[in-house]
Amino acid sequence: MKPELSVVIPVYNEESGLSKLFDRLYPALDALGYSYEVIFVNDGSRDRSAGILAEQYRLRPDVTRVVLFNGNYGQHMAIMAGFEATRGDIVVTLDADLQNPPEEIGNLVAKMREGYDYVGSIRRKRQDSAWRTYASKAMNRLREKITRIKMTDQGNMLRAYGRNVIDLVNKCREINTFVPALAYTFSRNPTEIVVEHEERSAGESKYSLYSLIRLNFDLVTGFSLVPLQFFSLLGIGLSFASAALFILIVLRRLLIGAEVGGVFTLFAITFFLMGVILFSIGLLGEYIGRIYMQVRARPRYVVQAILEQSSAEDNQST
């Protein structure tokens, strides 16, 4: 039977917190009164996460499905694989670390029932470190100006999507993407609600500073050409400024004569321009790299196995 609700949970090295997740997730979903399925996507965990997920599937095979990757492809690719496996009219994504309380799923579903096809969430009181909170807010403001995608809290993966949005996302074959932003571009009636946020139940964050920078590069370069346009305009402006400076230096030489001063100023301007050139080349390389990865047309991820009930088992159980 087709479930009304699908919950997608990417898992990577979460063996210490999965039991707590199960203890809170299933009772919260049972209390909603909807038919549901939970799809865990093991993203190449190196600990016992895969075995724990397999055991949970054996305990609740009627509502549990497990997708096992053969390697680590990243959180967003795990979510994309989960989307392809979903059957529900409403799909909710949830992190496995319990920073997003499973009890909040009901609030997202209730908001979806009001006629929205995309419900984002805003953490009421973030339990992250101060630098992550401030960095996230700064990136949110910069991202909104560049991409025109309005997500108050882009780092929170507790979100709900309508079937129409999921079907469109599943048609995309992007190698690198940011799932909430991609879904937002397809939604007709998006909204956001405020949810609670808790400390990690166990383990530590899988996102390093480098990973967060890479993620924001994917977000900006994947949904906007504004950075390239900015550096094009900057290049034009610097060209005019350089021409004006050249004319000024010639006039000063003709009117005042040769001068020894200003050497350090010239060095400063030169180094500044070199920095701009190197940064713009790096940005251009980001776009070219995305094109290169896309045209290779390699699989975005490889599924090793899927644990789910067969049609025959479903018929027997009914």
Side-chain angles (χ1 to χ4, degrees), residues 43 68 92 135-136 147 149 209 216 244:
D43 187 22
L68 302 172
V92 174
S136 178
T147 64
I149 294 175
L209 177 60
N216 281 284

Side-chain angles (χ1 to χ4, degrees), residues 225-241 276:
L225 294 178
V226 169
L228 286 178
Q229 295 165 346
F230 170 77
F231 276 97
S232 296
L233 294 175
L234 180 61
I236 294 173
L238 290 175
S239 297
F240 281 114
V276 171

Side-chain angles (χ1 to χ4, degrees), residues 145-217:
K145 291 183 180 296
I146 293 176
T147 64
R148 304 299 180 185
I149 294 175
K150 297 181 180 180
M151 291 187 299
T152 305
D153 191 352
Q154 74 177 40
N156 196 18
M157 293 308 297
L158 179 59
R159 299 174 186 273
Y161 310 88
R163 188 75 249 172
N164 62 307
V165 174
I166 295 299
D167 289 341
L168 290 171
V169 170
N170 286 340
K171 292 180 181 179
C172 298
R173 302 262 71 88
E174 299 181 25
I175 299 298
N176 296 305
T177 192
F178 188 86
V179 173
L182 183 63
Y184 181 90
T185 60
F186 294 133
S187 65
R188 297 189 300 267
N189 191 18
T191 189
E192 294 180 328
I193 64 172
V194 177
V195 298
E196 298 297 332
H197 190 240
E198 302 177 359
E199 295 183 359
R200 288 181 60 89
S201 62
E204 57 185 18
S205 174
K206 307 304 184 297
Y207 276 103
S208 63
L209 177 60
Y210 173 75
S211 298
L212 292 173
I213 293 174
R214 288 296 316 155
L215 186 63
N216 281 284
F217 262 116

